């Protein structure tokens, strides 16, 4: 008499997806560390795999090559982690607080509060990108895409301020976006925090005061 067939293990798709997401986050975090330590050229896929403790094939499945890994690392740094990068920008808690705040000065203060953390996380990776991009079409496209992503987000923010009647008289949403772009630029963070030693709180307060002065009517200053 033959043995009864053993029941097949049920395929747990959600569990597999969760494990895949954890592995991808592990690879992206390892790529971030390797890019920062070795630069783009020396950040090889085998080196990233070794740092992540996974097979080389797993790294290739996590992103579209080395440029894709750098892009994923940049997006994770902007969001505050690989998992948060999967959430649409407008749905992230810090951005939701900015959008939902109705008082203009507090709204700008909440936005300013997001900036020190963003630049401290993403700035070093952008320096890696800037150093490697010249002559590499994929990296040049990535750099342009990041700049476009930032500008599009700031235009949406400026349009929100304009729609709520918060901007000073005569200031268009387009010009307001240009001002936010410039005031909150990475170069200002690098100059004041990295070079001059300002604390994040001091930088945040300067951003708040500068944004309020540049964007809002005099009654808010």
């Amino acid at each position: 008499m033959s043995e009864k067939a053993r029941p097949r293990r049920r395929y747990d798709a959600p569990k597999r997806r969760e494990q895949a997401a954890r592995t991808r986050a592990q690879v992206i975090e390892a790529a971030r560390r390797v890019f920062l330590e070795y630069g783009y050229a020396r950040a090889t896929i085998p080196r990233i795999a070794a740092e992540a403790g996974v097979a080389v094939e797993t790294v290739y499945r996590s992103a579209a090559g080395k440029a894709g890994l750098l892009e994923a690392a940049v997006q994770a740094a902007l969001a505050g982690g690989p998992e948060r990068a999967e959430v649409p920008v407008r749905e992230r808690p810090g951005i939701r607080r900015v959008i939902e705040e109705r008082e203009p000065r507090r709204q700008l203060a909440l936005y300013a509060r997001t900036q020190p953390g963003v630049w401290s996380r993403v700035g070093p990776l952008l320096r890696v990108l800037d150093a490697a991009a010249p002559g590499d079409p994929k990296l040049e496209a990535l750099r342009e895409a990041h700049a476009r992503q930032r500008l599009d987000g700031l235009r949406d923010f400026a349009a929100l301020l304009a729609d709520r009647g918060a901007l000073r008289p005569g200031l268009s949403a387009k010009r307001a976006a240009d001002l936010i772009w410039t005031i909150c630029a990475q170069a200002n963070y690098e100059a004041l925090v990295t070079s001059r030693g300002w604390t994040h709180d001091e930088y945040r307060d300067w951003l708040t005061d500068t944004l309020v002065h540049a964007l809002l009517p005099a009654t808010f200053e």
Side-chain angles (χ1 to χ4, degrees):
M1 189 172 179
S2 61
E3 294 182 6
K4 290 184 179 180
R6 293 182 180 179
R8 290 184 178 180
R9 288 188 298 177
R10 189 172 59 184
Y11 181 75
D12 191 340
K15 188 174 182 179
R16 292 288 295 273
R17 286 195 296 269
E18 183 180 335
Q19 178 59 46
R22 283 199 300 267
T23 300
R24 184 173 186 274
Q26 181 179 336
V27 169
I28 292 170
E29 175 58 24
R32 181 192 68 81
R33 294 194 298 269
V34 172
F35 283 130
L36 293 181
E37 182 174 355
Y38 293 99
Y40 186 79
R42 295 172 60 212
T44 63
I45 297 297
R47 182 167 271 161
I48 292 169
E51 179 72 18
V54 300
V56 168
E57 292 77 11
T58 301
V59 175
Y60 279 112
R61 287 197 299 269
S62 299
K66 195 161 68 168
L69 281 170
L70 181 54
E71 178 181 11
V74 167
Q75 293 302 324
L78 286 169
E83 297 87 354
R84 292 185 181 183
E86 300 300 319
V87 178
V89 174
R90 293 176 65 91
E91 299 305 318
R92 294 170 190 168
I95 300 301
R96 286 307 314 164
R97 285 192 289 271
V98 173
I99 293 171
E100 292 169 1
E101 176 57 57
R102 305 293 299 190
E103 199 282 318
R105 198 183 200 289
R106 285 199 297 270
Q107 191 174 32
L108 291 176
L110 285 172
Y111 180 73
R113 194 167 74 181
T114 68
Q115 295 302 286
V118 165
W119 288 125
S120 67
R121 294 190 304 268
V122 79
L125 285 169
L126 292 181
R127 289 195 290 274
V128 171
L129 174 60
D130 288 341
D136 187 318
K138 288 184 179 180
L139 296 183
E140 288 177 351
L142 173 56
R143 186 164 58 174
E144 291 172 6
H146 173 259
R148 187 166 56 251
Q149 174 189 1
R150 179 170 177 262
L151 182 57
D152 287 345
L154 294 180
R155 284 175 172 167
D156 289 344
F157 183 29
L160 177 64
L161 291 168
D163 290 344
R164 292 178 178 176
L167 298 179
R168 66 171 61 247
L171 181 62
S172 68
K174 184 176 184 297
R175 181 58 60 89
D178 290 345
L179 291 172
I180 303 170
W181 164 278
T182 302
I183 294 166
C184 297
Q186 179 185 1
N188 286 334
Y189 175 88
E190 299 289 356
L192 295 175
V193 177
T194 305
S195 296
R196 301 306 308 148
W198 286 26
T199 67
H200 277 190
D201 287 350
E202 289 170 332
Y203 178 68
R204 175 205 63 205
D205 293 344
W206 174 80
L207 278 184
T208 300
D209 292 342
T210 306
L211 289 170
V212 167
H213 180 74
L215 302 177
L216 303 187
T219 52
F220 286 97
E221 295 179 18

